[in-house]
Amino acid sequence: MYALRTASLLLPQLLSVLATPASVSPLQPRDLISSLSNTIKSIGYLGQGITQDLALLVSTLDDVENGKIDPVTTIEEALGSLGNVRNASEVGLIGVAIDVVKNGLAPKNVLDLVQGLTASSLNSMENENLREPESTIFPKKASSDAPYDISEEKLRSSIYIPEEFQYGANGKRPVLLVPGTANPAGTTYYFNYEKLFNQSNFADSVWLNIPDNTLGDIQVTAEYIAYAITYISGITGNTKIGVLAWSQGSIDVQWALKYWPSTWDSVSDFLSISGEFHGSLSEELCLVPNTLCKPALRQQSYDSNLITTLRAGDGDSAYVPTTSVYSGIDELVAPQVGPEASARLKDVRGVGVTNTQIQLACPGKPAGTLYTHDPLLFNSLVYALFADALTHDGPADLSRVDLDTVCNQLIAPGLVLTDMLGSEVEAYVYNAIDSSTYKGSASSEEPPIKEYARISS
């Protein structure tokens, strides 16, 4: 979701010093603290309140480096600490990041961790995918599809296919992982679903690293998704694939499904975590023209033209079997409770939809308590539902899940404390590193709706 991603846009100059290439020696902690402190002096234009918050964040990082803040040592401690991270509406967006660090949710090797993720090829957007699909998919697979404005070379090179991917030969279902705002998929899923699916006997993951880290026009991002769905299906014997999306990725995928209907035959399941199909009422930084207002942030507003267009013509109903899981205490997407929850989809097409709020499915149990927006990436109930969906026809069915066991699991089985903390670091720290790479113009006006959507909605 974009509210916290908006916070990351306040810190690109600060946290970009973490982005040390693999060929360069990583910064030492003291060098990092010094660089952050010096950077604060150059961003006074953001206002005294923001610079004071940034100074406090630097001080908190300094406490980690000096051993004054100890990281949690058990999953139980980590879940408890999640409850101490205040809502962005209470403390401001940077305050959330400070709370995460203060409450020990960043490991002592956080700098090494971020350094390794930054240098990783997992985030590559220049991948050489030489396999050709069984049938032509570009410039259109079907006449009803929207046109592509992006070249096939760029669309294909954004798909990351791991060396161990078996192209359907091992009986596992291919699953395309789609990231959220300001995040490459490689690091978003590194500590959770890449690992979980690798360990499973039913799923084989590939992922999309979208240029501009999904900060650009959502309509453009959807082109990458539509192409990737059809391409991965086409190089795996026209297998129906799973598509897993987190946060803004839910909008991106739903737009792709709506305007590239040929993708429906290529998708077995759409799996959504912390989705926002209806946008969000959360405050954003696009009220006036400024350099922090990126297209995707404006488009995620509850009353944006993009969300209005998406919902039109039953676009708020599923196009393929869909399993959506969300938290009623989501601190970033609002509303996320009741029949108007942003993550809920209707089912007017009768394809099958399961909408699950974790607090209602696991009341008072670990899996249904303190999990908010980002932590759902390692939640046990979310994983159990996705596993059920991928191993059965149609969406997940709660009646097939052993809730007595799953609801009492502190974290998805197969993950450990390091994965939990790594996911938190990625969500709250790493996402800020590349947020300054977007080169487009900033404006309070969102991008215009593409002609194909104006005609068909």
Side-chain angles (χ1 to χ4, degrees):
M1 210 333 295
Y2 68 88
L4 185 57
R5 306 299 166 253
T6 313
S8 75
L9 300 179
L10 297 173
L11 299 171
Q13 298 179 64
L14 288 171
L15 292 174
S16 63
V17 299
L18 293 173
T20 310
S23 59
V24 179
S25 297
L27 289 168
Q28 296 302 310
R30 177 50 53 192
D31 296 330
L32 170 68
I33 298 300
S34 177
S35 296
L36 294 179
S37 299
N38 290 334
T39 304
I40 289 177
K41 299 176 183 178
S42 68
I43 58 174
Y45 64 88
L46 290 177
Q48 183 179 5
I50 291 176
T51 54
Q52 287 177 343
D53 286 346
L54 294 176
L56 181 56
L57 176 58
V58 170
S59 175
T60 307
L61 289 170
D62 202 8
D63 287 343
V64 174
E65 191 252 322
N66 290 327
K68 294 180 181 178
I69 296 178
D70 293 323
V72 296
T73 57
T74 66
I75 293 175
E76 291 85 350
E77 277 188 273
L79 288 176
S81 292
L82 286 175
N84 296 327
V85 177
R86 292 166 291 178
N87 196 293
S89 63
E90 301 175 38
V91 297
L93 300 170
I94 301 173
V96 174
I98 294 170
D99 275 3
V100 168
V101 179
K102 277 188 173 180
N103 283 281
L105 290 169
K108 280 192 177 295
N109 69 334
V110 59
L111 302 182
D112 291 335
L113 177 61
V114 173
Q115 159 66 17
L117 289 175
T118 304
S120 175
S121 63
L122 297 177
N123 297 324
S124 174
M125 301 175 193
E126 298 179 356
N127 305 292
E128 191 174 27
N129 298 316
L130 300 179
R131 293 201 180 204
E132 294 297 331
E134 293 191 5
S135 58
T136 301
I137 62 176
F138 189 92
K140 281 188 176 185
K141 182 178 180 181
S143 60
S144 57
D145 288 347
Y148 288 110
D149 290 331
I150 303 169
S151 70
E152 185 171 23
E153 179 183 6
K154 288 190 66 175
L155 292 170
R156 188 179 297 190
S157 64
S158 70
I159 305 169
Y160 187 98
I161 302 178
E163 290 184 5
E164 61 271 20
F165 186 66
Q166 296 296 304
Y167 297 89
N170 58 1
K172 292 185 175 184
R173 187 177 300 280
V175 180
L176 176 68
L177 306 179
V178 178
T181 311
N183 284 268
T187 51
T188 295
Y189 298 106
Y190 180 78
F191 292 100
N192 40 77
Y193 278 90
E194 289 175 35
K195 181 176 181 178
L196 289 168
F197 286 158
N198 281 342
Q199 295 172 347
S200 78
N201 61 1
F202 58 84
D204 200 3
S205 61
V206 301
W207 52 89
L208 269 176
N209 293 318
I210 298 168
D212 299 327
N213 286 342
T214 67
L215 286 166
D217 186 348
I218 285 175
Q219 298 168 103
V220 175
T221 295
E223 292 191 28
Y224 287 93
I225 295 168
Y227 181 87
I229 288 172
T230 311
Y231 178 75
I232 295 301
S233 174
I235 63 174
T236 56
N238 290 324
T239 300
K240 287 198 170 190
I241 71 169
V243 181
L244 189 158
W246 171 59
S247 195
Q248 180 204 319
S250 60
I251 301 174
D252 304 336
V253 172
Q254 189 72 355
W255 188 277
L257 292 171
K258 179 175 183 177
Y259 294 109
W260 282 266
S262 68
T263 58
W264 304 354
D265 289 336
S266 299
V267 178
S268 67
D269 293 278
F270 177 18
L271 313 169
S272 174
I273 307 173
S274 300
E276 48 172 338
F277 298 105
H278 302 261
S280 178
L281 294 171
S282 298
E283 189 174 340
E284 38 86 8
L285 292 177
C286 296
L287 299 179
V288 296
N290 67 88
T291 58
L292 304 178
C293 183
K294 312 302 184 185
L297 303 184
R298 179 66 188 93
Q299 289 172 316
Q300 290 173 73
S301 175
Y302 188 83
D303 61 353
S304 73
N305 292 330
L306 183 128
I307 293 298
T308 300
T309 302
L310 177 62
R311 294 175 64 179
D314 293 319
D316 55 358
S317 280
Y319 294 95
V320 297
T322 301
T323 301
S324 177
V325 194
Y326 56 98
S327 172
I329 58 171
D330 193 312
E331 77 278 27
L332 304 175
V333 178
Q336 214 50 316
V337 294
E340 300 304 317
S342 189
R344 293 183 65 87
L345 279 182
K346 300 175 185 177
D347 190 21
V348 299
R349 297 174 185 85
V351 296
V353 174
T354 298
N355 298 301
T356 303
Q357 180 185 324
I358 62 168
Q359 288 82 12
L360 299 180
C362 295
K365 302 295 180 63
T369 52
L370 298 174
Y371 281 90
T372 53
H373 186 82
D374 298 321
L376 284 192
L377 286 167
F378 46 82
N379 179 274
S380 59
L381 177 62
V382 176
Y383 179 60
L385 286 169
F386 289 175
D388 181 78
L390 290 170
T391 54
H392 294 84
D393 291 335
D397 185 341
L398 269 175
S399 69
R400 293 194 296 253
V401 176
D402 181 1
L403 293 179
D404 288 339
T405 298
V406 171
C407 289
N408 283 295
Q409 292 171 331
L410 300 175
I411 193 172
L415 301 182
V416 295
L417 177 64
T418 301
D419 301 313
M420 184 177 183
L421 299 185
S423 294
E424 287 293 284
V425 167
E426 192 286 327
Y428 289 97
V429 178
Y430 180 80
N431 69 338
I433 294 173
D434 290 324
S435 61
S436 60
T437 60
Y438 177 70
K439 304 302 182 183
S441 60
S443 170
S444 60
E445 300 297 325
E446 66 174 292
I449 298 298
K450 299 275 190 179
E451 182 180 3
Y452 66 78
R454 294 197 303 270
I455 293 174
S456 60
S457 293

